[in-house]
Every structure is written in C-alpha cells, then in structure tokens.
C-alpha cells in the first residue's frame, strides 16, 4: 500500500528500470552528494513568546495544516524544544472529540521513525497538541525543489517509512493520511512520520 501511495515520487525515473537492484546509503551514513540530506538551520530558542498551559513557551510559527497552525515551542519544565499545534478555533466540538481518541492512541507510539505525541491541553476555548520537535524538510518540499527521487534515494526511504508504519499498525494505530507532507527528513535524510493521531481533517481529500 505504501509503495502504491508513494509511487508518484519516483515513477518518472523508474520506467524500464529494475527496483530490486537498487541500494541506497546506510542509515546514519554521512550525507553524500545527490542524497536527500540537507543542512538544517538551527532555530534559536529565545526568552520571548507566549506561555501556554503554564508550561510551554510558544515561539514562531513553523507550519500549518487543515487542523490549524504549528509553532515551535519550549517545554519549560523539561527544557526541551517541542512542536505545538493550535487546533482551529472554528473546529466543531464533534471534530475536536473525533481527534482526541486517535491522539490518545498515538501517544503510546515510541519509534525512531514516528514523531512522538507528548500531550494535549486546553487554553480557554482552544485545544493544543504538543509533540516532539522534528527539524528538517518535508518530503513534499524536497520533491518540489528537486523533482522525483531516484530509486536509489526512494527505496531506502520507503523501507524506513514502511518499518515505522508496520510498528504503528502492530500497536493498533493507523495514520490515515500518509502523504509527502507528513514525512519529515532530518539533516541526514532519515524520515519521521508526523501527525499520527490526526489523520484526515474536515474537507481534506489529499490523503
């Protein structure tokens, strides 16, 4: 299913080529020319920012989705960087409740290829999800900037993503929205799946 869903990423480069003969760099290997690895800027965690939930300092916005904005944050109690998702204010109560069940299930996932969910809290009428901070670029951004992946790049990536999904499914947790924008790659080209527990949002037909 994963290979079928992500086939578009390498389809233009695989016509007439054998997949089984391709090998990519070992996991954790140093970045090489032509690899998916890319230098990442370090975001300085300063003293400013709004305090949320009495524990998290909200810093700059780093993304958004159908569910709402995503911010870089600092967990003041544990002194660690986190990602804070602010769910849309116009989200219906039923939609919010629909997200909480899968989010609770996703919180039990602990795997190197899955961004961990740390907690959920409310501030006024707004619901927030707090997750592991995973610096890097999404696979969607990489595809947009460099085009389809070669099979040498794609196959090792697919294996790591498939391993993470297999672990999650073994824990009875399904993602529901695997796509290039939900796969983050770190400075060494290693993938992490984000947004477990969120799945499809209202009106989202891109999964």
């Amino acid at each position: 299913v994963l290979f079928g869903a992500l086939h578009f990423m390498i389809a233009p480069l695989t016509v007439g080529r054998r997949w089984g003969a391709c090998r990519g760099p070992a996991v954790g290997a140093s970045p090489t020319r032509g690899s998916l690895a890319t230098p990442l800027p370090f975001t300085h965690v300063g003293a400013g920012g709004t305090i949320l939930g009495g524990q998290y300092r909200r810093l700059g916005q780093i993304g958004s989705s159908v569910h709402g904005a995503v911010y870089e944050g600092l967990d003041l109690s544990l002194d660690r960087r986190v990602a804070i998702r602010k769910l849309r204010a116009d989200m219906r109560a039923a939609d919010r409740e629909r997200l909480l069940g899968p989010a609770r299930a996703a919180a039990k996932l602990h795997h190197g290829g899955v961004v961990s969910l740390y907690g959920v809290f409310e501030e006024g009428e707004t619901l927030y999800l707090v997750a592991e901070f995973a610096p890097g670029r999404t696979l969607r951004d990489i595809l947009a900037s460099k085009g389809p992946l070669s099979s040498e790049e794609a196959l090792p990536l697919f294996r790591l993503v498939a391993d993470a999904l297999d672990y999650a499914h073994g824990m009875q947790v399904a993602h529901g929205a695997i796509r290039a924008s939900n796969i983050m790659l770190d400075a060494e080209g290693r993938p992490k799946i984000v947004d477990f527990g969120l799945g499809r949002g209202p009106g989202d037909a891109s999964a």
Side-chain angles (χ1 to χ4, degrees):
V1 174
L2 175 64
F3 278 80
L6 301 181
H7 176 68
F8 75 94
M9 299 176 191
I10 61 171
L13 299 180
T14 55
V15 177
R17 297 175 63 175
R18 294 175 60 94
W19 285 32
C22 302
R23 295 186 60 188
V27 176
S30 299
T32 58
R33 184 178 180 182
S35 73
L36 299 180
T38 182
L40 301 175
F42 176 76
T43 303
H44 176 66
V45 178
T50 303
I51 303 299
L52 298 172
Q55 179 176 347
Y56 304 102
R57 189 185 301 279
R58 187 183 69 189
L59 303 172
Q61 184 171 342
I62 56 176
S64 63
S65 73
V66 295
H67 299 290
V70 182
Y71 299 88
E72 179 183 357
L74 178 67
D75 183 335
L76 299 174
S77 64
L78 297 175
D79 192 26
R80 66 179 175 185
R81 297 164 78 189
V82 295
I84 304 172
R85 182 182 296 277
K86 178 183 179 181
L87 297 185
R88 293 199 330 261
D90 63 346
M91 185 173 287
R92 296 175 303 175
D95 291 326
R96 287 162 56 119
E97 194 59 35
R98 179 183 58 82
L99 288 176
L100 283 177
R104 294 185 184 103
K108 66 184 180 182
L109 299 179
H110 302 285
H111 186 280
V114 175
V115 168
S116 298
L117 181 62
Y118 294 149
V120 179
F121 69 93
E122 287 188 84
E123 184 92 355
E125 298 296 320
T126 304
L127 187 66
Y128 293 87
L129 303 181
V130 181
E132 172 188 358
F133 183 82
R137 300 174 66 196
T138 67
L139 182 55
R140 180 181 64 182
D141 290 341
I142 292 174
L143 293 172
S145 64
K146 72 183 299 257
L149 308 182
S150 69
S151 52
E152 288 83 359
E153 294 170 324
L155 289 177
L157 172 64
F158 288 179
R159 292 188 187 104
L160 292 174
V161 172
D163 180 68
L165 289 174
D166 182 63
Y167 162 80
H169 295 166
M171 298 289 287
Q172 304 300 306
V173 179
H175 189 286
I178 286 294
R179 52 180 176 258
S181 60
N182 283 334
I183 299 174
M184 295 287 299
L185 278 76
D186 67 13
E188 296 183 347
R190 293 173 298 201
K192 273 185 176 284
I193 302 172
V194 303
D195 284 357
F196 260 100
L198 293 180
R200 298 185 185 215
D204 180 15
S206 61

